[in-house]
Amino acid sequence: MAALGWLTPRRRSATARSVLAGEAAAEAARKSSQTIEALQELEGEQAPPAEPVFPVAGDVHAAAFFDLDNTVMQGAAIFHLGRGLYKRKFFHRSELARFAWQQAWFRLAGVEDPEHMQDARESALSIVKGHRVSELMTIGEEIYDEYMADRIWPGTRALAQAHLDAGQKVWLVTAAPVETATIIAGRLGLTGALGTVAESVDGVYTGKLVGEPLHGPAKAEAVRALASAEGLELERCAAYSDSHNDIPMLSLVGHPYAINPDSKLRKHARARDWRLRDYRTGRKAAKVGIPAAAGVGALAGGTAAAVALHRRRR
């Protein structure tokens, strides 16, 4: 056996062997760590860059533009305004029935029908004719508390607040009367509002519009004009809407969002990889809001007709 001694290393103490093993393991660990770091760097180069934080804090050349009806608020502002004016006896029950029918359609169909919206605007203009602007502003504050405050979508409100927290200005852009839009913007702490302007002389409404309703392409033109005046860069701005009618406005900015989108906007947004957010309990609003006076026959009939029409379309 002694002849095999040259094949067998001399015995060392346990302590010496432990030190040797530790030193070898440490050296191997250092080498493996270097290898892992190199692989991680390589993977990092190949991985797609993370999505940048948006909105960008401190970007004073960016702003956000929010549609109102069914984007920021459930339902249409002009219909809620009509409910409040009826309560204050600005018009008769027969006209309330028309407002109820229009509101039922809007809530059930989930889209802005041009004919209904135009009819609602004409009704509102005839109702306020001869009244003072200051009077409607005061009443509008009350109507907001009564019919609108609890219909603000929390999710959309949070999006607007994110822009405000980033130091950016936030505007509502809506076909609703500018006075109503301004009240809502003020209550939500937003910068201001772009809305349809009703003509007034010496502070009294004439029953006519200045230009046309702020709808569709007109919204895009309003945003473009405001951006120019404010020194904004549209490709750094964001816009939010539920309606395909607002595609011109959404296409104008670098960050378009489809909020509670109708079917046409949803399809358009998906085709262009726009961001989508839906805060409804279903694809369409689940609740149907009818004025408190809905017990009268005319309103009940209008609601039933809206339901029937909605079912036929489905």
Side-chain angles (χ1 to χ4, degrees):
M1 297 295 297
L4 297 178
W6 64 274
L7 294 176
T8 306
R10 289 180 300 175
R11 293 181 59 84
R12 299 184 182 183
S13 66
T15 301
R17 291 198 303 271
S18 298
V19 170
L20 180 62
E23 290 175 347
E27 181 63 20
R30 291 182 68 249
K31 291 180 178 179
S32 65
S33 176
Q34 294 172 355
T35 302
I36 292 173
E37 289 177 357
L39 291 174
Q40 289 176 339
E41 290 178 1
L42 181 60
E43 291 175 356
E45 292 176 358
Q46 295 175 342
E51 183 176 347
V53 176
F54 184 81
V56 180
D59 187 355
V60 297
H61 296 290
F65 302 92
F66 283 79
D67 169 57
L68 175 57
D69 296 344
N70 212 36
T71 301
V72 172
M73 182 178 68
Q74 187 177 10
I78 196 168
F79 300 138
H80 297 313
L81 177 63
R83 295 172 64 186
L85 293 178
Y86 170 77
K87 179 180 178 181
R88 291 160 177 80
K89 303 188 183 305
F90 270 66
F91 55 96
H92 302 294
R93 182 170 296 182
S94 60
E95 293 170 300
L96 176 62
R98 180 165 56 180
F99 269 102
W101 155 249
Q102 291 163 338
Q103 173 69 350
W105 167 268
F106 184 84
R107 296 287 293 280
L108 285 169
V111 297
E112 296 178 3
D113 182 87
E115 291 184 6
H116 287 163
M117 299 300 287
Q118 179 65 25
D119 188 25
R121 281 187 289 270
E122 291 176 355
S123 299
L125 287 171
S126 65
I127 290 167
V128 302
K129 181 179 180 180
H131 289 274
R132 300 196 65 82
V133 175
S134 58
E135 176 188 12
L136 266 294
M137 288 294 290
T138 300
I139 292 175
E141 294 277 0
E142 299 171 359
I143 292 174
Y144 176 83
D145 292 332
E146 294 171 3
Y147 299 114
M148 302 181 189
D150 62 351
R151 288 177 169 79
I152 302 300
W153 292 108
T156 312
R157 178 68 186 86
L159 292 174
Q161 189 61 48
H163 286 278
L164 294 171
D165 292 343
Q168 298 174 5
K169 294 182 177 180
V170 178
W171 281 276
L172 292 181
V173 189
T174 173
V178 67
E179 293 85 0
T180 301
T182 299
I183 289 170
I184 297 172
R187 289 302 190 91
L188 296 179
L190 309 184
T191 306
L194 297 164
T196 298
V197 179
E199 182 185 76
S200 63
V201 177
D202 297 329
V204 178
Y205 289 111
T206 66
K208 299 179 181 179
L209 289 181
V210 177
E212 64 179 12
L214 198 67
H215 187 263
K219 282 188 179 181
E221 293 304 317
V223 168
R224 193 192 308 274
L226 184 60
S228 177
E230 293 281 329
L232 303 173
E233 297 180 14
L234 288 171
E235 65 273 13
R236 295 159 77 167
C237 293
Y240 302 78
S241 179
D242 72 296
S243 173
H244 69 279
N245 294 315
D246 289 337
I247 288 176
M249 178 180 74
L250 295 170
S251 301
L252 197 62
V253 301
H255 302 276
Y257 283 77
I259 306 295
N260 304 327
D262 61 34
S263 59
K264 290 183 180 179
L265 178 57
R266 185 182 294 273
K267 181 179 180 181
H268 188 92
R270 284 177 171 169
R272 286 156 181 77
D273 200 27
W274 289 357
R275 296 180 178 89
L276 290 95
R277 301 285 188 275
D278 202 324
Y279 302 117
R280 299 166 295 188
T281 56
R283 289 293 298 273
K284 294 184 178 179
K287 298 179 181 179
V288 179
I290 301 299
V296 299
L299 295 183
T303 305
V307 172
L309 181 57
H310 176 62
R311 288 175 176 171
R312 287 201 301 271
R313 287 191 165 228
R314 292 188 67 181

